[in-house]
Amino acid sequence: MNGRRPLLVGMRTRLLASHIGVIIIAIVVLFVTVRATAPNFFDSHIGNMAMMGGPEGTMMTAEAGQLDDALARSVNEGFLLAAAVALPLGVVVSLLAARQLAGPVRSLAAASRGIAAGDYVQRVPVEGPPELEELARSFNLMAVALEGAERRRIELIGDVAHELRTPVTVLQGYVEALADGVFPASAETWSKLAAETSRLGRLAEELQDLSRAQAGQLAVSISAVSAGGAIRSAAGRLEPAFAEKGLRLDVLAPPGLPNVLADSERLVQVLSSLLSNALRYTPAPGAVSIAARRVGAAIEISVHDTGIGISAEHLPHIFERFYRVDRSRARSSGGTGVGLTIASALVTAMGGALRAESPGAGDGSTFTIVLPVAS
Ligand code: ADP
């Protein structure tokens, strides 16, 4: 309540003062002008009449004095009447205008206070003069954006907690079993512990990249990069894992391919991420290929696999943060659901685009990066 009265009183008083001020100034100016010009005008007319009147002229001059007084009186009365009508009218108009402005302004103030207190569902009615309607629409847009940001923040905390829980629980289980002597301190146990620890480390790195990507702060340093070199470097990193799983990996980079504009390290990171996914989601026996080709002023680098594919229902969502088609399968195979979000943000930061295609579940997938050719 405290914030309400001063708003209305302040607006009402100001409008009232300005309306009354304008009325008084108008009346005073009119009054002064009429009083200054009318008697001269009147006198000169009477003078003309007296001159034309001949012997009756003396009588007319005497009457002219009385007429002068009558004119002054009627001007004064006329202006008093005008003031008596205009001032109350001005007050009524001010009050109506204040009410029309104060309503929407008051709703905006109340909704802003609600948002400041964390109540992001606040919206204001679009009403009042056009400028206030515009302000209300902008306010509502801002409220929708803030509500979305808050929802994503809460979801992110939930997702991160969820992702952390699995490796931590596994580690806890192993450590307790080791302490109780249930598991022997064998090489196999240590390697399981190491796998979970590295999973936690990977998650921490991915979360850092994700937060930078979402804040639009992924640092990339663009230069002319050899697409063939980046492809061979990423494929080289993952070749042992492909061989271990029994998958074929074909690298197709035609000679003479022009350089692309990219961040060389980040490009290798994105290609490695796409190859890791292809490896993860392709059961043996299967094949994965990474190929580059020139299309106009761009180079397309495609990672194609013969794996589990992605159904049309899931395809539009796979670049969303923590989105996984099959949550249980992804967890058991180590995916966190942020790889593609980061890859896409990185490619966009490099001035390119990343797209995904799949004929459907069971029919393999193709991920394509499009980057501009370095001139
Ligand atoms: P994850 O760490 O779970 O792999 P990503 O963001 O890299 O997270 O991928 C998101 C989801 O997209 C995956 O969980 C998976 O369901 C699907 N996906 C990604 N790459 C492929 C692929 N090559 N084949 C089939 N599904 C894929």
Side-chain angles (χ1 to χ4, degrees):
M1 281 307 279
N2 280 351
R4 287 186 170 189
R5 292 310 300 167
L7 180 70
L8 184 58
V9 169
M11 192 174 287
R12 191 188 284 163
T13 315
R14 270 163 225 221
L15 276 172
L16 198 63
S18 67
H19 280 156
I20 290 176
V22 170
I23 291 169
I24 289 174
I25 290 168
I27 288 177
V28 168
V29 169
L30 261 176
F31 182 74
V32 170
T33 319
V34 171
R35 286 305 302 263
T37 56
N40 289 344
F41 183 68
F42 186 77
D43 285 350
S44 75
H45 257 275
I46 293 290
N48 285 347
M49 284 167 72
M51 279 201 290
M52 287 186 311
E56 296 127 59
T58 336
M59 194 255 298
M60 288 197 70
T61 316
E63 275 181 13
Q66 289 169 12
L67 282 172
D68 240 353
D69 290 346
L71 172 74
R73 252 196 329 275
S74 68
V75 166
N76 289 352
E77 280 167 11
F79 276 98
L80 277 177
L81 185 67
V85 173
L87 286 174
L89 259 180
V91 171
V92 171
V93 169
S94 309
L95 291 181
L96 286 177
R99 179 163 301 195
Q100 216 203 352
L101 290 177
V105 171
R106 199 187 274 163
S107 328
L108 275 164
S112 308
R113 281 194 299 275
I115 287 198
D119 181 10
Y120 296 98
V121 295
Q122 294 278 344
R123 301 289 180 273
V124 290
V126 177
E127 61 182 12
E131 291 83 356
L132 283 183
E133 280 187 355
E134 185 59 39
L135 183 60
R137 268 192 286 272
S138 309
F139 180 92
N140 287 343
L141 278 179
M142 180 198 73
V144 168
L146 282 174
E147 195 186 355
E150 178 63 4
R151 196 185 51 244
R152 285 193 293 279
R153 191 181 69 83
I154 292 169
E155 282 170 4
L156 176 65
I157 295 171
D159 287 339
V160 169
H162 191 76
E163 291 307 316
L164 285 173
R165 208 164 39 230
T166 313
V168 168
T169 310
V170 174
L171 278 172
Q172 225 170 6
Y174 271 103
V175 171
E176 277 169 15
L178 273 171
D180 295 345
V182 179
F183 280 166
S186 63
E188 194 194 342
T189 309
W190 290 125
S191 91
K192 279 186 175 146
L193 281 173
E196 290 304 321
T197 320
S198 72
R199 185 182 156 137
L200 270 179
R202 205 171 56 238
L203 181 64
E205 260 170 47
E206 284 180 344
L207 286 175
Q208 198 170 26
D209 267 352
L210 180 68
S211 85
R212 287 199 189 118
Q214 303 224 309
Q217 288 170 350
L218 272 175
V220 287
S221 94
I222 307 289
S223 59
V225 175
S226 154
I231 289 173
R232 280 187 288 275
S233 167
R237 282 187 192 182
L238 283 137
E239 246 161 20
F242 274 88
E244 194 183 324
K245 192 170 173 182
L247 290 179
R248 210 178 73 220
L249 175 61
D250 300 321
V251 181
L252 310 157
L257 207 61
N259 286 343
V260 288
L261 282 178
D263 178 315
S264 61
E265 254 179 58
R266 293 299 208 175
L267 179 57
V268 175
Q269 178 187 341
V270 172
L271 293 174
S272 306
S273 171
L274 295 180
L275 283 174
S276 303
N277 276 352
L279 170 74
R280 186 177 296 154
Y281 300 109
T282 307
V288 173
S289 66
I290 180 165
R293 66 184 183 126
R294 184 177 183 149
V295 179
I299 297 284
E300 287 192 355
I301 306 174
S302 297
V303 176
H304 172 73
D305 65 60
T306 58
I308 62 168
I310 305 160
S311 70
E313 163 204 356
H314 293 291
L315 203 54
H317 301 290
I318 56 167
F319 293 104
E320 288 168 17
R321 193 187 66 201
F322 292 110
Y323 190 87
R324 287 179 305 215
V325 172
D326 179 345
R327 294 205 146 227
S328 53
R329 177 201 289 267
R331 170 143 307 118
S332 66
S333 55
T336 55
V338 295
L340 286 179
T341 315
I342 296 168
S344 166
L346 278 172
V347 175
T348 306
M350 288 190 263
L354 172 61
R355 62 170 194 264
E357 287 143 312
S358 174
D363 293 327
S365 321
T366 306
F367 287 81
T368 306
I369 300 175
V370 185
L371 286 168
V373 165
S375 51

